[in-house]
Amino acid sequence: MGAARETVGDAVDDWRQTVSSLTRWVLAHKRIVVTFWAVLAVAGVIAAGPAGEALDQEFSAPDKEGWTTNERISQLYAGTGNVNPIVPVVTLPEGESADSPEVKADLARVDKVLERTLPGARIASYPSTGDDAFVSDDGRTVFALAYAPPEEDDPFGGGDETAARVSQELEGMTVAGEPVHVTGFGALANDGGDEADGPGVLLETVIGGAGALLVLAFVFASLLAFVPIVMAAVSILTTILLLLGLAQLTDISPVVQFLVALVGLGIAIDYSLLVCTRWREERSHGRTGDEAVQRAMETAGRAVVFSGITVAIGLLALIALPLPFLRSMGYGGMLIPFVSTLVAITLLPVILATLGPRLDWPHIRTDDKASRAWTRWAEAVARRRWVAAGAGMLVVAALALAATEMQLGISDADTLAGSGRAKEGLAALEESGIGEGALLPHEILIEGGSDPRDVVAALEGVEGIHGAVAPESDAWRRDGTVLVNAIPVPDSGTSEGADTLAAVRDAAHGVGGDVRVGGAPAANADFVDSVYGSFPLMIALITLTTFVLLARAFRSLLLPLKAILLNVISIAAAWGVLVLVWQQGYGSELIWDVQATGSVPSWIPLMVFAFLFGLSMDYEVFILSRMREEYDRTGSTHAALTQGLGRTGRLVTSAALILFLAFASMASAPETDVRILATGLAAGIILDATVVRSLIVPAAIALMGRWNWWLPRWPARLLRVEPSAPRTAAADAEA
């Protein structure tokens, strides 16, 4: 039996040999390694400004009706196909009506200002069309739609700068003595604040780094706490440099800069924390100099490589999706674990070998033995395994159940601003019964012989449509085509909005095959369909690849299966937090003064899945790698559980706290979408490190017992590792 354990313990796989060989080379060429990373870091500082300017946002769903129709409108109508309209609104005094000559004259003057301020814009209003679609049922609230052509400082048209210019030009103008409020997504973004109102990526990173330093100071109780921060700085700057190069080849979303700075901060520190902790442990066991570094890299360094690969796998699936925006997130995101892993297995060993002993001062805390608190916790969970597993599953299951209520859509306009003239204009639309949907009308393009009047008549009969209009001006009819606007009442991000869109499409297509539906609601629906239609394939790709990788790493079939299932459940719980905090508003208003969004932006759950799958698996790899090592050494599942969690419990919770602080910094961004993303990532990390990894995982290990380590010969042969036969229960207990 002892010989069998020794044989298993001596089995060194290809990964360990590779990491070991790389470490020997690195330690033999210290100056080359340090110079290489120093040059990249300095270049990253220089590239920071140009990299930020090179990023470009592109939401598209190729080969979908909504997207292709908007592109066609953009070609025919001076680039206004992907534009959200600027919406001037006025509420008339009691007794006044939009039909009165004086009111019509005032409204016409508003149109003139719009035409002068926005040359080439598509404008539709009550005075220009005479259509009741622009008037509330009581006749007192009137609005107009102005689709501004793209400009150099506003490539999408209708953005905050253009809306601000229109608002300024209309300031002081009145209709029947009442002010004109300019609303719309751009105007609301202005009132809600822009990037200048937030702390910015640099300050957010500094805040996250300061919080991380406090955690590291507690973990190491020595100057060694600064080493992971330095490694993170090198990783982030190098990633920024690579991001600039990548931006020259493809469009990269601006959201990636937040991910590089803050996710990169957390991942790089996590990896350095793991290696530094193991290095201190090896030194406490009598190893010194390069020997301690070599041993730390053969164990913790190997775990870092596996962790980096699992994070990259989660992002790899984004590249497989047929959406440029998400592909860009995948390309940019993959740079984070790639660079962080390289820094951890090359530069960090050099720093530890040369400066480590001097930095590990005053060395108040020793790593000679496993944490007594975590060892006791592991033993308590093992004794009450059914209770622990049940309690943990109850928490994540309750949150996962909340996730079933998730409504995907465009950000609710009500969340963009808490006050201001744009907010007053939106409130006027909602209170009058016209509805928030007027900010994002359905745009219907007719390219053929269908009569626009038939299209209007069909759309006006759709439930949820306030009105439909086909303006007769040249701005709305060009090259034999006609544009029709259908103005919805409900927010397009709600289930009612989705039902209205489906009915609009049915009605429009029923008129003729030359009638197609565009507009922001249709484009967003197509985006959701493209993303989540491929979601099962994405999950299959991730889980299969991860299973093979982890089965090889842990030499087990049940451990990777358990890890994947718990990861999926953990992510579903994080989605549940998004629903509760943002969609339903249990926290968004209290913390950020933003009311319930009513929906979750369609791209965010996918990003949460892609990042959390890898980040959460980091902790699984950290814990199970050490458990596997202890089992190979002792042959006892109980010893593997208690010693493994005793050695990694503090490490995992500290690493999770560091990432949580990074995401908390990210949540201070002014953009609501970034706040929502940060909330999902932060909640997922905390839930995973506490409820899942500290409660459910050890309980599951205890429940599965000796079968944790089962790997028959035929799959072991396919994986090219030693098979692992579970010992008898009696032998396990004896060990």
Side-chain angles (χ1 to χ4, degrees):
M1 183 167 50
R5 285 203 301 267
E6 184 178 351
T7 301
V8 173
D10 290 341
V12 181
D13 64 18
D14 295 339
W15 284 102
R16 185 167 178 174
Q17 291 181 32
T18 301
V19 173
S20 179
S21 299
L22 176 63
T23 303
R24 283 194 296 271
W25 186 92
V26 164
L27 295 178
H29 301 84
K30 295 182 178 71
R31 289 185 180 179
I32 294 176
V33 172
V34 172
T35 302
F36 174 78
W37 287 112
V39 169
L40 289 181
V42 171
V45 173
I46 299 172
E53 296 172 0
L55 303 183
D56 183 31
Q57 189 92 297
E58 182 187 354
F59 285 91
S60 63
D63 302 323
K64 294 288 186 177
E65 180 187 358
W67 174 254
T68 57
T69 302
N70 286 343
E71 286 291 284
R72 182 61 175 154
I73 293 172
S74 183
Q75 294 170 3
L76 292 167
Y77 294 89
T80 60
N82 294 299
V83 170
N84 297 331
I86 296 168
V87 186
V89 184
V90 63
T91 300
L92 304 175
E94 288 189 21
E96 290 287 356
S97 168
D99 290 328
S100 73
E102 294 81 5
V103 171
K104 279 188 174 180
D106 287 347
L107 291 172
R109 283 195 293 274
V110 173
D111 280 4
K112 291 295 184 183
V113 174
L114 290 174
E115 291 169 0
R116 184 180 70 247
T117 309
L118 303 172
R122 282 192 289 122
I123 300 170
S125 63
Y126 184 66
S128 67
T129 65
D131 200 297
D132 289 338
F134 297 100
V135 184
S136 63
D137 291 341
D138 64 5
R140 290 186 52 213
T141 301
V142 189
F143 69 98
L145 298 172
Y147 290 87
E151 300 176 7
E152 184 175 349
D153 60 350
D154 183 12
F156 296 102
D160 48 6
E161 293 187 14
T162 302
R165 191 166 72 247
V166 172
S167 183
Q168 183 177 5
E169 291 295 326
L170 289 176
E171 189 171 358
M173 288 195 68
T174 60
V175 176
E178 293 296 325
V180 178
H181 299 293
V182 176
T183 190
F185 274 76
L188 288 163
N190 269 332
D191 283 356
D194 56 20
E195 289 186 11
D197 298 322
V201 176
L202 177 60
L203 183 55
E204 288 175 13
T205 307
V206 171
I207 294 172
L213 184 58
L214 292 176
V215 176
L216 292 169
F218 170 77
V219 172
F220 291 117
S222 74
L223 295 177
L224 199 65
F226 287 96
V227 172
I229 298 293
V230 173
M231 297 301 101
V234 173
S235 299
I236 291 170
L237 291 171
T238 303
T239 305
I240 289 173
L241 176 63
L242 296 178
L243 193 65
L244 175 60
L246 188 62
Q248 311 308 310
L249 303 176
T250 184
D251 291 334
I252 301 295
S253 168
V255 176
V256 173
Q257 65 184 329
F258 288 96
L259 299 176
V260 166
L262 296 168
V263 177
L265 175 72
I267 289 179
I269 289 177
D270 280 2
Y271 292 169
S272 299
L273 176 60
L274 178 64
V275 173
C276 289
T277 300
R278 188 57 185 258
W279 172 77
R280 292 214 331 176
E281 180 185 333
E282 295 302 330
R283 279 173 51 82
S284 69
H285 291 161
R287 294 184 175 90
T288 59
D290 288 0
E291 182 188 7
V293 175
Q294 188 75 35
R295 176 61 181 168
M297 295 307 300
E298 289 173 356
T299 52
R302 175 176 174 271
V304 164
V305 172
F306 276 110
S307 295
I309 293 174
T310 55
V311 175
I313 287 172
L315 297 165
L316 179 66
L318 295 178
I319 299 174
L321 295 175
L323 301 170
F325 166 71
L326 291 176
R327 280 180 178 173
S328 80
M329 302 284 269
Y331 293 138
M334 280 186 65
L335 293 176
I336 298 171
F338 173 72
V339 175
S340 297
T341 300
L342 286 181
V343 169
I345 64 176
T346 57
L347 180 60
L348 181 56
V350 174
I351 299 300
L352 292 177
T354 55
L355 300 176
R358 278 176 285 178
L359 290 174
D360 195 15
W361 177 90
H363 197 80
I364 298 173
R365 176 176 288 120
T366 179
D367 291 314
D368 181 38
K369 296 181 180 179
S371 166
R372 284 181 292 179
W374 280 102
T375 300
R376 287 196 298 268
W377 174 260
E379 290 173 344
V381 170
R383 285 195 303 271
R384 300 288 187 269
R385 61 196 71 179
W386 285 107
V387 174
M393 289 301 297
L394 185 63
V395 172
V396 294
L399 290 171
L401 183 63
T404 62
E405 301 296 322
M406 183 180 290
Q407 177 68 42
L408 300 173
I410 300 170
S411 297
D412 190 339
D414 278 312
T415 68
L416 299 178
S419 60
R421 295 178 63 194
K423 181 70 171 182
E424 292 174 11
L426 175 59
L429 290 173
E430 293 174 332
E431 292 167 5
S432 67
I434 294 171
E436 181 183 323
L439 301 188
L440 296 176
H442 302 289
E443 292 213 86
I444 293 86
L445 177 65
I446 305 172
E447 284 192 286
S450 293
D451 191 331
R453 291 171 295 185
D454 294 339
V455 176
V456 169
L459 294 172
E460 286 181 332
V462 171
E463 183 178 355
I465 292 296
H466 171 71
V469 60
E472 296 184 359
S473 68
D474 292 342
W476 294 77
R477 301 184 180 221
R478 189 165 298 169
D479 297 337
T481 67
V482 179
L483 278 176
V484 176
N485 262 22
I487 301 163
V489 175
D491 169 23
S492 63
T494 63
S495 58
E496 294 83 0
D499 293 340
T500 300
L501 170 61
V504 164
R505 281 175 161 166
D506 290 341
H509 297 160
V511 175
D514 59 335
V515 183
R516 294 188 293 161
V517 178
N524 182 70
D526 289 344
F527 183 85
V528 172
D529 183 61
S530 294
V531 170
Y532 294 95
S534 304
F535 200 52
L537 176 62
M538 171 182 169
I539 293 178
L541 175 64
I542 291 176
T543 54
L544 179 61
T545 309
T546 304
F547 180 84
V548 171
L549 179 68
L550 295 184
R552 193 173 192 279
F554 302 142
R555 299 192 0 261
S556 167
L557 293 182
L558 290 184
L559 286 179
L561 180 61
K562 173 197 63 65
I564 290 169
L565 289 176
L566 289 181
N567 254 27
V568 172
I569 294 172
S570 176
I571 292 167
W575 287 348
V577 173
L578 289 182
V579 171
L580 295 173
V581 173
W582 288 100
Q583 183 175 310
Q584 298 179 7
Y586 296 110
S588 63
E589 192 161 6
L590 176 65
I591 301 173
W592 293 277
D593 194 27
V594 176
Q595 67 186 70
T597 60
S599 64
V600 176
S602 53
W603 59 276
I604 287 179
L606 186 66
M607 290 301 302
V608 169
F609 182 93
F611 273 95
L612 279 187
F613 191 91
L615 293 174
S616 298
M617 198 62 79
D618 266 358
Y619 304 143
E620 186 79 2
V621 170
F622 292 173
I623 294 171
L624 293 185
S625 293
R626 191 56 187 258
M627 287 186 180
R628 177 80 238 196
E629 183 180 337
E630 294 297 331
Y631 180 79
D632 289 345
R633 184 176 65 85
T634 65
S636 167
T637 300
H638 181 76
L641 173 60
T642 55
Q643 288 297 307
L645 196 60
R647 282 292 184 184
T648 60
R650 187 176 65 191
L651 169 68
V652 166
T653 51
S654 300
L657 182 57
I658 289 170
L659 268 177
F660 175 81
L661 293 172
F663 294 139
S665 299
M666 186 176 173
S668 65
E671 299 89 345
T672 299
D673 283 7
V674 175
R675 291 173 176 175
I676 296 174
L677 174 61
T679 301
L681 293 174
I685 287 297
I686 287 298
L687 281 169
D688 191 82
T690 54
V691 178
V692 176
R693 307 302 162 191
S694 300
L695 195 62
I696 301 177
V697 167
I701 296 290
L703 286 169
M704 291 191 295
R706 60 198 180 94
W707 295 104
N708 285 291
W709 324 106
W710 178 55
L711 181 66
R713 288 191 176 279
W714 65 267
R717 198 160 36 243
L718 290 175
L719 296 170
R720 301 187 62 174
V721 294
E722 291 285 335
S724 179
R727 305 176 62 204
T728 65
D732 192 3
E734 178 186 342

